[in-house]
Each structure stands twice: as structure tokens, then as C-alpha cells.
Amino acid sequence: MTTAADTAAGQGAAAQRPGRLFIVSAPSGAGKSTLCSAVRRRYPQLAYSVSYTTRKARPGEQHGQDYYFISREAFEKGIAEGQWAEWARVHGNLYGTSARWIADTLAAGRDILMDIDVQGTRQILQKFPDAITIFIQPPSLAVLAQRLRQRGTDDEAAIATRLANAREEMAQARQYRHVVVNDDLARAEQALAALIQNAGEASR
Ligand SMILES: Nc1nc2c(ncn2[C@@H]2O[C@H](COP(=O)(O)OP(=O)(O)O)[C@@H](O)[C@H]2O)c(=O)[nH]1
Ligand SMILES: Nc1ncnc2c1ncn2[C@@H]1O[C@H](COP(=O)(O)OP(=O)(O)O)[C@@H](O)[C@H]1O
């Protein structure tokens, strides 16, 4: 049924549909950064939500592209001022998403890809129940440990924290609308791209 309000909205300047939110989560080392980078290259029109974090930058990571690396004080000021659409402590560091950027980007009609943890996903779903949630599973915990060591960006203590959290995170997979197992990289990339593509077509 079309209401007068729908018709008015459809005829106004905002005739474009608002953007959609795609949320990707995974235990550390499952391959979500690799897969998100591939999808960003494939769909340059998809806006990537660059998170704010108190974690130190890894070699090769760029401020403003991978994350905004900020101090704990700046992050806590953001909490006090209500700047975060969601935020969480993950593996001992704080991570958050700019509420203003999300609102402006969706209002401009752009779809958003977010790489956030399971706690952040719950918060976003409370505000945006239609967000499309995707969980990336590693083939096994043994493979996960191997990938974290091969990546070579974390010391053994950081790897141990990430592996200890992985079991708990993987138990949350059933809360997600879709699950992609990242065994073969090309296959997983194709599966993630297809989910984004098909969700886009379904709502047009
Ligand atoms: N809640 C929340 N989690 C985030 C955000 N940005 C990143 N994360 C999550 O924080 C965790 C650690 O990310 P990162 O430090 O890049 O380490 P990695 O998972 O080992 O590559 C991952 O689960 C990310 O999905 C954010 O803005 N909010
Ligand atoms: N399908 C895959 N097969 C083998 N290695 C992979 C695969 N996907 C990712 N990797 C590697 O595993 C490591 C962790 O991937 P990364 O994308 O950093 O994970 P996350 O962002 O989930 O922590 C990286 O060294 C990456 O190159």
C-alpha cells in the first residue's frame, strides 16, 4: 500500500533510496581484512567505514585508510560526546564507528561496508535492524592460528588473546544472516561479492 507520506517522500528531492549497511565480522585472522579489501576493489562505489581505534598501527597500515589511530583520551571524549554509532573493547583496545559519517553516508544513498566485531554488530542492529550481517568463518581454529602466525603482525601474547577470543566469537556466527567460510580465498571472495551484489538487486 502506498501512503501519502510515501508518495511525498518519493516525489521529493530524496527520491533516491537510502544506502544499506553490510556488516562483516570474523575472529582475528579469519581473513576479513583480506576479503573486505578485495570487495572494496571490486565495488569502489561501496563506502568503507573506517573505524577509530586506540590500537597501534601495524606496519603498512595507514591512518584514515585502514583506521583512524587515536589516543585513549580522544576515544573516551568521543564516548562522552556521543560520537560513536557503536563502540567496543576488543582484544584490549577500543574501537568505534563515527555516528555522523554513517548517517551522512546512508542519507547520501551510498551502501556501507563495515568490519566490526560481534559486540558492535549487536549495537548497530538495534539502530539499523535491516543491516545485512555476514560472518566470516575460518576452516578451523588450527588454520586460524596458522594464519595469525603467518601474518606476522602480532606478538605471541596478542595472538594468544585473539585465539582465546575466537571460540566465543565463532559461537556468535548463528546470529548473523549469512556465513562465508574462508577456505579457498578466491571462492570466499566470490561468495562475499555475490551476497553484496544480490542484496543490492533484491532491494532495488
Ligand atoms: N565494535 C567494533 N569493532 C571493530 C571496529 N573496527 C574493527 N573492529 C573489530 O576489532 C577486531 C580487531 O581488529 P584488528 O585490530 O584490525 O585486528 P585483526 O582482527 O587481527 O585484523 C576485529 O574483530 C574487528 O572487526 C569498530 O569500529 N567497532
Ligand atoms: N583463504 C585464505 N587462505 C590462506 N590464507 C589466507 C586466506 N585468507 C586470508 N589469509 C591470510 O591470513 C592472514 C589473516 O588475514 P586477515 O585478512 O589479516 O585477517 P583478519 O582481518 O580477519 O584478522 C593474512 O596473512 C592473510 O593473507
Side-chain angles (χ1 to χ4, degrees):
M1 193 180 83
T2 308
T3 65
D6 290 336
T7 311
Q11 286 170 349
Q16 66 186 343
R17 63 157 177 79
R20 280 175 313 248
L21 274 173
F22 294 95
I23 304 182
V24 171
S25 299
S28 180
K32 66 192 168 314
S33 309
T34 306
L35 288 169
C36 285
S37 299
V39 165
R40 286 168 73 183
R41 279 193 298 275
R42 195 187 281 222
Y43 300 117
Q45 72 278 21
L46 196 58
Y48 181 70
S49 172
V50 178
S51 296
Y52 291 72
T53 183
T54 61
R55 167 166 82 62
K56 288 202 169 57
R58 294 173 180 146
E61 282 184 328
Q62 284 184 26
H63 182 80
Q65 196 171 329
D66 299 290
Y67 282 105
Y68 294 104
F69 297 98
I70 62 172
S71 68
R72 196 177 182 91
E73 292 68 33
F75 197 99
E76 284 171 352
K77 188 161 173 273
I79 297 174
E81 292 176 354
Q83 278 179 27
W84 310 128
E86 63 72 35
W87 69 272
R89 177 193 297 273
V90 194
H91 315 316
N93 295 300
L94 301 175
Y95 294 84
T97 304
S98 162
R100 172 170 297 178
W101 184 85
I102 293 283
D104 289 352
T105 308
L106 291 178
R110 292 190 69 191
D111 292 340
I112 292 177
L113 177 65
M114 307 175 77
D115 166 352
I116 62 173
D117 87 318
V118 294
Q119 307 169 77
T121 302
R122 277 197 289 273
Q123 296 171 47
I124 291 291
L125 281 174
Q126 281 174 3
K127 295 181 180 167
F128 303 95
D130 294 334
I132 297 152
T133 55
I134 304 163
F135 196 87
I136 309 292
Q137 284 275 27
S140 67
L141 283 169
V143 170
L144 189 67
Q146 197 184 17
R147 286 188 187 163
L148 279 173
R149 295 210 166 86
Q150 271 170 4
R151 186 169 71 181
T153 54
D154 302 280
D155 61 25
E156 273 303 316
I159 289 176
T161 307
R162 283 167 155 70
L163 288 175
N165 292 338
R167 272 174 211 279
E168 217 172 298
E169 289 164 340
M170 279 162 72
Q172 308 291 321
R174 68 176 74 91
Q175 317 275 349
Y176 285 69
R177 204 188 293 188
H178 305 282
V179 174
V180 171
V181 179
N182 182 18
D183 40 19
D184 175 68
L185 186 57
R187 198 205 57 79
E189 186 187 321
Q190 186 54 37
L192 181 59
L195 284 176
I196 291 172
Q197 181 72 30
N198 295 340
E201 280 165 8
S203 63
R204 267 172 230 270

